Amino acid sequence: MSDDKNPHPGHLAPGGAPLTPYIQDLVQRLRALDRRRPRLWDITVTGFWVVVAVLDYSTGGWRTVAHNMEAPEPLVLLMSLCFSVPLLWRRRRPVTVLLLMAPVSLVNIWTGAVVQAAFLQLIPVYTIALRLPLRTLAWSGLVMCLPAAAGAILIPGTADRQLVSYLWGFVFVTLLAIVVRTRREYTEALVERAHRLERERDQQAQLAAAAERARIAREMHDIIGHNLSVITGLADGGAYAAAKNPERAGQALEAIGTTSRQALAELRRVLGVLREPAPAADLAPQPSLADLDNLLTGVREAGLPVRLTVHGTPPPEPASPGHQLAVYRVVQESLTNTLKHAGPEATAEISLTYTPTGLEVRATDSGGGPQPPESGSAPHGRGIGGMRERASLYNGTLESGRLPAGGWQTRLRLPLEDTPP
């Protein structure tokens, strides 16, 4: 009866452990030795087969299969060494080694000695099948089997003992080498694929981190830049009104406090997503088109007259939150630039135009101040560049520049979500 806990006793070592790990460990150690000391491994393998060939000669084992028992013993020893010693170069020059063995094989069959060391020709054949093209393997088969075929013709009755055994040996070694070669190439392909996937994963992680940094930089720029511009305008207006209208100055201070708290709340929301414990981050909806009125109210309180006009009919289904956030941030950045650069007497107008193919936003001011810096034209200028990045995320375009009659205009075009770019 077989033990249920040991269904495959033949696969276990005497101590009860499976034999497979031991065999795999031994193979790995031999391969490691071969990689570290290839010359030592070649000398060891060649020395082993030289000893076997010499023992076959010294013990007279070759006489058990020889056709000619009277073959000269020095010739037998020489042929045994000629079949075994060239194996030292089998890996670097396997074809050359096989060509050197071919005339020795012909002499071996012609004299009728038939030393068993002749089958060492299969070792360079294995190396050829393992590493070289199949065309070389075919020529190697001819080089190995032609002496046996010649011997079968010259010595009647030896075809079954010489030619057939050579052919079977060649076929067996070739199939074994092809199996090993296929498995090795498959393993190398898997390793290369794993390395490529790791590189692609690292590249995707770097791209994602860079995109996230750019997104956070845009959000921080829009939040801080706009709210600080509003606070600056309110503070200037409050300082001017403090001497003549203390009540107006108090309203300005109250508006500064409200704007500051809003800015702090938005900063906490943006920075909260960067913390490790993501569930602890304060979540709030992103600004949308519905928040434009509150944005314009804050800008008006900062002292910039601004008017909003809407043309066309909004689509039945509202735009995605990303589209709406892009429009909101472009309007916010445009008004912030107006507060910074247009001067105290400037006015602004925001125009939203809905078309069958998308939405167009125009932000125009009448100021005569200096031009807003382009991204990269100033050490810290990111406004217009950030707006263009937002537009490109949704296949939109953004144009910004000075008007011929004075003032500045920013125009954003965003296609509908189902419209091809």
Side-chain angles (χ1 to χ4, degrees):
M1 295 179 64
S2 62
D3 190 355
D4 294 339
K5 297 182 180 179
N6 187 12
H8 302 289
H11 294 172
L12 299 181
L19 287 174
T20 305
Y22 294 100
I23 297 176
Q24 292 179 349
D25 181 67
L26 178 60
V27 171
Q28 293 299 328
R29 289 176 181 272
L30 292 176
R31 288 178 177 174
L33 175 63
D34 188 18
R35 288 192 296 268
R36 292 195 308 267
R37 303 287 182 86
R39 175 58 62 183
L40 176 61
W41 180 254
D42 289 342
I43 293 175
T44 302
V45 172
T46 303
F48 172 80
W49 288 114
V50 168
V51 171
V52 170
V54 172
L55 286 176
D56 181 64
Y57 157 75
S58 61
T59 59
W62 61 277
R63 297 181 185 276
T64 59
V65 294
H67 298 295
N68 182 13
M69 301 294 183
E70 303 301 326
E73 291 189 359
L75 179 61
V76 173
L77 176 60
L78 180 61
M79 289 190 297
S80 299
L81 293 177
C82 289
F83 280 126
S84 57
V85 173
L87 295 179
L88 185 62
W89 299 276
R90 75 191 188 282
R91 286 201 286 191
R92 289 181 294 174
R93 299 183 180 275
V95 177
T96 303
V97 170
L98 190 61
L99 290 175
L100 290 175
M101 292 180 176
V104 182
S105 177
L106 182 60
V107 172
N108 180 44
I109 297 175
W110 183 272
T111 59
V114 194
V115 295
Q116 298 301 303
F119 285 99
L120 294 179
Q121 297 176 92
L122 295 174
I123 295 180
V125 168
Y126 175 84
T127 304
I128 293 171
L130 187 64
R131 299 183 177 183
L132 300 182
L134 293 180
R135 179 182 300 177
T136 307
L137 177 62
W139 284 108
S140 302
L142 291 177
V143 170
M144 178 180 171
C145 295
L146 278 179
I153 296 174
L154 296 175
I155 305 175
T158 62
D160 56 338
R161 298 182 57 184
Q162 293 295 323
L163 181 59
V164 174
S165 60
Y166 271 57
L167 288 174
W168 275 112
F170 177 80
V171 170
F172 175 78
V173 169
T174 299
L175 292 178
L176 178 62
I178 291 176
V179 170
V180 174
R181 181 175 183 170
T182 303
R183 181 175 178 82
R184 178 181 297 177
E185 292 176 351
Y186 177 71
T187 303
E188 291 176 353
L190 290 180
V191 172
E192 175 60 26
R193 180 184 179 187
H195 290 166
R196 185 175 67 253
L197 291 176
E198 289 180 359
R199 291 193 297 268
E200 292 177 355
R201 180 197 62 191
D202 294 339
Q203 292 173 356
Q204 292 296 330
Q206 293 175 1
L207 292 175
E212 185 65 12
R213 285 196 298 269
R215 185 188 69 81
I216 293 173
R218 287 195 301 267
E219 291 292 325
M220 297 287 288
H221 175 272
D222 293 341
I223 294 170
I224 296 176
H226 173 75
N227 287 285
L228 287 181
S229 297
V230 173
I231 290 173
T232 301
L234 290 172
D236 292 340
Y240 177 78
K244 298 182 179 180
N245 190 349
E247 181 179 356
R248 179 63 178 171
Q251 294 176 354
L253 291 176
E254 182 180 353
I256 288 175
T258 301
T259 305
S260 300
R261 285 188 291 272
Q262 291 176 353
L264 287 174
E266 290 193 45
L267 282 176
R268 289 194 186 98
R269 176 180 55 80
V270 173
L271 296 177
V273 299
L274 302 179
R275 298 170 185 166
E276 284 296 331
D282 296 331
L283 302 179
Q286 293 276 19
S288 62
L289 295 179
D291 299 308
L292 282 179
D293 291 336
N294 294 332
L295 175 65
L296 300 183
T297 299
V299 173
R300 293 188 187 105
E301 291 178 352
L304 175 63
V306 58
R307 183 179 62 177
L308 173 65
T309 58
V310 180
H311 305 281
T313 304
E317 296 184 2
S320 67
H323 279 72
Q324 297 190 46
L325 176 63
V327 173
Y328 181 92
R329 292 303 188 197
V330 168
V331 173
Q332 184 185 54
E333 178 63 25
S334 300
L335 296 177
T336 300
N337 288 336
T338 301
L339 286 170
K340 289 181 180 179
H341 307 287
E345 303 299 328
T347 60
E349 180 177 356
I350 305 300
S351 173
L352 302 182
T353 303
Y354 292 95
T355 65
T357 60
L359 171 64
E360 180 177 302
V361 181
R362 292 175 183 262
T364 309
D365 65 61
S366 61
Q371 174 179 337
E374 287 275 357
S375 176
S377 63
H380 305 288
R382 293 185 52 89
I384 296 178
M387 289 191 289
R388 287 202 175 101
E389 290 175 2
R390 289 186 183 277
S392 64
L393 288 176
Y394 300 98
N395 298 320
T397 59
L398 185 133
E399 301 173 1
S400 184
R402 190 176 297 280
L403 296 173
W408 193 268
Q409 177 178 270
T410 299
R411 181 169 61 181
L412 168 69
R413 293 190 182 94
L414 283 181
L416 295 178
E417 295 183 55
D418 56 353
T419 301

